[in-house]
């Protein structure tokens, strides 16, 4: 992708909403998505008529996604008339990926106001995402690819992450205590959110004493599975006078592709490139 310049005053996040639920057995993913979408649009001080682009992930997965043609169905469900939709799936990075696409679309003049939304009932449906294999997660047989190195042995999501973490610790000199400090920091942030699923204090010793899931990842190193939904509104600078709150300008972004097969998986290097590209663009 060619470097884009002059993004500082092109697009901004003008509305956001985090659904308060973490367990919603009485609601569908679509209901949660709709409630979050409505909340984000209201937070922006705009109306559904302002939304002319819609981004919703479409993964027909056992992990709790909305399914194929999600953006098309979401437009119908939300009674929106977007001139642009995107439901490209790049896994857990999809929502950040959509922010980048929204900026590019606004920069190109394709639309002025984008809604990015997602909802899931993973916890209430008891979907243990971390112990699914990649084939189960995507409901396809395209993974492992023919020359895959790790996945041919039936790695699950968590075990694959454990392999990468172990390699990173070996090459960078990290310890389990260093890794546990990340979980402690995330819990400290969660304690500031009244809707967080876990708000009790967590220490490094607590993390290290929790059961080992996939070496070197302990239970508390792993993500909590929950229901929930969230949405943001990204708008052109021309719409800022109509919005309610101070805009959060998007100064730059970066992307990088990690190779899953052939034994070349290295998220640390791809993350470094991604950050550099974002900073260079900004």
């Amino acid at each position: 992708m060619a470097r884009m310049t002059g993004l500082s005053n092109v697009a901004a996040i003008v509305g956001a909403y985090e659904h308060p639920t973490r367990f919603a057995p009485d609601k569908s993913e679509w209901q949660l998505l709709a409630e979050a979408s409505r909340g984000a649009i209201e937070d922006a001080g705009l109306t559904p008529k302002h939304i002319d682009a819609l981004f919703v992930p479409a993964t027909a997965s056992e992990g709790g996604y909305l399914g194929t043609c999600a953006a098309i169905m979401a437009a119908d469900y939300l009674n929106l008339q977007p001139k642009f939709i995107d439901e490209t799936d790049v896994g857990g990075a999809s929502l950040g990926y959509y922010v980048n696409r929204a900026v590019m679309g606004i920069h190109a003049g394709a639309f002025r106001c984008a809604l990015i939304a997602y909802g899931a009932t993973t916890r209430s449906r008891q979907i243990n995402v971390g112990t699914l294999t990649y084939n189960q997660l995507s409901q396809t047989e395209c993974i492992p690819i023919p020359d895959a190195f790790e996945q041919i042995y039936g790695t699950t999501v968590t075990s694959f992450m454990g392999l990468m973490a172990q390699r990173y610790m070996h090459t960078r000199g990290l310890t389990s205590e260093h890794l546990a400090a990340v979980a402690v920091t995330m819990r400290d942030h969660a304690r500031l959110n009244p809707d967080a699923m876990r708000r009790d204090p967590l220490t490094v010793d607590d993390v290290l004493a929790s059961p080992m899931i996939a070496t070197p990842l302990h239970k508390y190193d792993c993500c909590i599975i929950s229901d929930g939904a969230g949405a943001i509104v990204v708008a052109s600078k021309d719409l800022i006078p109509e919005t309610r709150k101070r805009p959060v300008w998007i100064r730059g972004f970066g992307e990088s592709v990690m190779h899953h097969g052939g034994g070349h998986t290295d998220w640390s290097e791809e993350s470094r490139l991604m950050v550099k590209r974002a900073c260079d663009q900004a």
Side-chain angles (χ1 to χ4, degrees), residues 11 13 16 23 31 47 54 58 68 72 97 109 120 124-125 160 179 200 213 225 228 242 248 261 276:
I13 297 173
F23 183 64
Q31 285 177 282
T47 70
L54 180 62
T68 305
I72 296 172
Y97 175 92
S124 59
R125 292 194 296 121
F160 185 53
L179 204 60
D200 46 310
I213 303 299
I225 297 174
E242 300 182 45
V248 178
K276 183 179 185 304

Side-chain angles (χ1 to χ4, degrees), residues 234-279:
V234 181
S236 154
K237 64 179 180 180
D238 299 333
L239 279 178
I240 299 303
E242 300 182 45
T243 59
R244 176 178 296 150
K245 295 182 176 179
R246 182 178 179 181
V248 178
W249 294 100
I250 301 168
R251 304 297 187 189
F253 56 83
E255 296 179 11
S256 185
V257 176
M258 183 195 74
H259 293 178
H260 280 275
H264 300 302
T265 302
D266 186 353
W267 276 13
S268 63
E269 175 62 15
E270 297 307 323
S271 298
R272 185 191 67 79
L273 290 173
M274 179 179 62
V275 170
K276 183 179 185 304
R277 289 164 185 168
C279 292

Side-chain angles (χ1 to χ4, degrees), residues 66-93:
L66 296 164
T68 305
C69 298
I72 296 172
M73 293 189 288
D76 187 16
Y77 192 74
L78 299 172
N79 195 25
L80 300 176
Q81 297 292 329
K83 62 174 77 170
F84 185 96
I85 64 168
D86 192 346
E87 50 192 37
T88 304
D89 168 39
V90 288

Side-chain angles (χ1 to χ4, degrees), residues 20-42:
T21 190
R22 297 297 180 267
F23 183 64
D26 59 328
K27 294 187 177 183
S28 70
E29 295 171 329
W30 291 102
Q31 285 177 282
L32 295 178
L33 179 144
E35 291 171 9
S37 298
R38 181 175 59 193
I41 294 171
E42 290 178 352

